[in-house]
Amino acid sequence: SSSSRDESLRDKRAQILSRGLPKQKPIEGVKQVVVLASGKGGVGKSTTAVNIALALAANDSTKEVGLLDADIYGPSIPKMMNLKGNPELTPKNLMRPLKNYGIACMSMGFLIEETAPVVWRGLMVMSAVEKLLRQVDWGQLDYLVIDMPPGTGDVQLSVSQNIPITGAVIISTPQDVALLDARKGAEMFRKVHVPVLGLIQNMSVFQCPKCKHETHIFGADGVRDLAENLGLDILGDIPLHVNIRETCDSGQPVVISQPQSDA
């Protein structure tokens, strides 16, 4: 019958397509992987990733949380988590994550000089990502939060296709040019069958510390409109606040240093 022929064709197509993709293999000891992504750089993705990892741990002290900085060219987790130094090696030649505030962290920033640029071609970057995924002794983690680089390129595809991901969170400002790239990020995860847990609207409103007047510097509800358009949830709405920036720059993220603050 035509329906059985169609089904047979679909099966063959799926087999052909699957040949070129690597088999997903879980990271040993890690239960859930959540990736934090943005289409555009500079929207506060790393700041949000750090504070989400700390919030997961603060929300339930029985949970073990790790943080992986997958941004090879611009690693910022070491500074934000106030960590320096080289990882020790286990007898099995795996890297031990550095730890602060109860969070196990791994980053390219631990393996190179702080001021040294990473001037690498794609293949070298992919090799580094593979090492960060497979050659780290995470112990037993309930959550591994992965801070992705901006864009929809090799690193995003490699991470999405090599390990099972529980879900992705997309971060964007309400600005139109950021929203264009945030949409692409969401669509990319859908194409590689990674569930998008929702969107976070960052830098949504600025309140003058003197007169308390509120200004929507990057626009008002752009991310909310995009989420509605894509049929996704809004997970949070974060203001443009000097404390959020200052605390991350000083290596004392706001969730740790000011847990009772509005931010």
Side-chain angles (χ1 to χ4, degrees), residues 42-235:
V43 296
K45 173 181 48 59
S46 296
T47 301
T48 310
V50 162
N51 281 299
I52 281 180
L54 291 165
L56 283 168
N59 197 45
D60 187 344
S61 59
T62 66
K63 302 294 185 191
E64 291 292 330
V65 180
L67 181 59
L68 173 59
D69 188 352
D71 194 343
I72 303 298
Y73 290 119
S76 47
I77 297 303
K79 183 171 180 63
M80 292 183 178
M81 288 296 287
N82 197 24
L83 286 167
K84 277 185 180 177
N86 301 117
E88 294 177 358
L89 291 177
T90 69
K92 291 184 177 177
N93 221 29
L94 298 176
M95 293 180 285
R96 279 203 180 98
L98 275 63
K99 208 163 187 178
N100 197 13
Y101 308 124
I103 308 292
C105 302
M106 181 50 66
S107 170
M108 193 69 203
F110 300 145
L111 308 176
I112 57 170
E113 290 293 323
E114 192 175 10
T115 55
V118 176
V119 190
W120 288 353
R121 292 189 185 276
L123 283 172
M124 291 174 74
V125 172
M126 301 315 295
S127 173
V129 170
E130 181 69 18
K131 283 182 171 62
L132 290 174
L133 288 176
R134 300 291 177 202
Q135 295 183 19
V136 176
D137 180 9
W138 290 105
Q140 296 298 312
L141 291 183
D142 294 283
Y143 302 106
L144 178 63
V145 176
I146 301 183
D147 178 24
M148 296 281 239
T152 54
D154 286 346
V155 174
Q156 288 83 351
L157 282 172
S158 182
V159 171
S160 303
Q161 291 172 351
N162 275 286
I163 59 172
I165 294 171
T166 308
V169 175
I170 309 287
I171 298 146
S172 179
T173 63
Q175 190 178 2
D176 285 351
V177 290
L179 293 168
L180 285 170
D181 290 343
R183 178 188 285 272
K184 289 174 191 169
E187 296 295 351
M188 183 208 75
F189 284 118
R190 282 179 167 173
K191 280 191 174 179
V192 293
H193 310 296
V194 171
V196 179
L197 302 176
L199 279 72
I200 291 176
Q201 180 163 267
N202 197 20
M203 307 183 200
S204 58
V205 64
F206 172 74
Q207 186 184 67
C208 174
K210 290 186 178 176
C211 70
K212 305 301 179 190
H213 175 71
E214 292 191 344
T215 306
H216 294 278
I217 292 172
F218 294 107
D221 290 313
V223 180
R224 290 185 180 281
D225 295 341
L226 177 62
E228 195 175 321
N229 192 259
L230 295 173
L232 295 169
D233 291 330
I234 279 281
L235 304 177

